[in-house]
Amino acid sequence: WANNAIYPISGVPLLSPEIITAIKLPLLVILAIGLILEVGYKELSINDFFKTITTMRCCRYILLCYCLSCILILLYCCGNSNNLQLVTITSAGNIIYLLWFNRKSLRKVQLVLQVLPRLALVLSIFLLLIIVFAAFGPSFGRNSDSEEDDYYFNSFSQSMWSVFVATTSSTWPNQI
């Protein structure tokens, strides 16, 4: 475990696990208190917690359990210096907190997730068209004596690339 490592993309040096724990522990405690208040809002007893389980309530419980487990991992790492690598595990779910407490961001992610099936359908139809036209390309190219047809439709993969470039009106890498 090297404390002088850097983030690969940005080149920013990593903080030591002790500093990360000192920064994260108070923030996670505040988040846990906020989640407990949010979970406990309008429930008078423990029995009311599980009376009507909704999707949002399940998400609150899961997020609260994740927050409490991160706190326990950080406390364990404070007492045991051999397992400082566990500190980095607590960073994996930070985006979940951002999405949960900033509901506008959560709504934007939900909108993107609603669009993804339609986008996947359009992309699959586009890919199907490319495959069909690329399958016929080599057979049409073999009938002509042009060297360009042999270059663009020499194999199935080459013809798929050529059809893709032609359908997207792309000139990179100046093939067509």
Side-chain angles (χ1 to χ4, degrees):
W1 180 262
N3 289 338
N4 59 356
I6 60 170
Y7 287 104
I9 294 174
S10 65
V12 175
L14 288 168
L15 296 174
S16 68
E18 293 87 4
I19 295 174
I20 293 173
T21 303
I23 292 171
K24 285 186 128 187
L25 199 57
L27 294 174
L28 284 172
V29 168
I30 291 170
L31 282 172
I33 291 170
L35 284 168
I36 289 170
L37 289 174
E38 191 173 346
V39 166
Y41 181 67
K42 294 187 180 176
E43 280 96 7
L44 299 175
S45 66
I46 298 290
N47 294 333
D48 292 338
F49 281 156
F50 303 104
K51 228 179 217 181
T52 56
I53 301 293
T54 62
T55 306
M56 292 302 284
R57 188 171 287 179
C58 284
C59 289
R60 285 185 190 109
Y61 293 151
I62 290 169
L63 191 58
L64 181 62
C65 289
Y66 178 74
C67 185
L68 293 176
S69 65
C70 286
I71 290 172
L72 291 175
I73 288 171
L74 289 176
L75 289 176
Y76 174 74
C77 290
C78 285
N80 190 357
S81 62
N82 294 334
N83 293 325
L84 292 176
Q85 294 175 350
L86 289 174
V87 173
T88 58
I89 293 173
T90 60
S91 298
N94 288 343
I95 192 69
I96 298 170
Y97 297 126
L98 174 71
L99 294 176
W100 186 258
F101 288 109
N102 187 353
R103 298 294 167 95
K104 289 181 182 179
S105 298
L106 180 62
R107 182 67 186 141
K108 290 176 185 174
V109 169
Q110 289 172 343
L111 288 174
V112 168
L113 291 177
Q114 288 174 356
V115 170
L116 282 180
R118 295 180 193 139
L119 180 64
L121 179 66
V122 170
L123 289 177
S124 63
I125 291 170
F126 179 66
L127 182 65
L128 182 67
L129 286 173
I130 288 176
I131 289 171
V132 167
F133 287 115
F136 289 117
S139 64
F140 290 136
R142 287 189 187 121
N143 294 337
S144 71
D145 294 330
S146 173
E147 291 181 14
E148 287 183 4
D149 290 340
D150 288 340
Y151 178 74
Y152 292 121
F153 298 104
N154 190 18
S155 65
F156 181 72
S157 61
Q158 184 65 32
S159 61
M160 274 189 65
W161 176 250
S162 299
V163 171
F164 175 75
V165 170
T167 55
T168 58
S169 299
S170 174
T171 57
W172 183 85
N174 291 328
Q175 277 191 339
I176 295 179

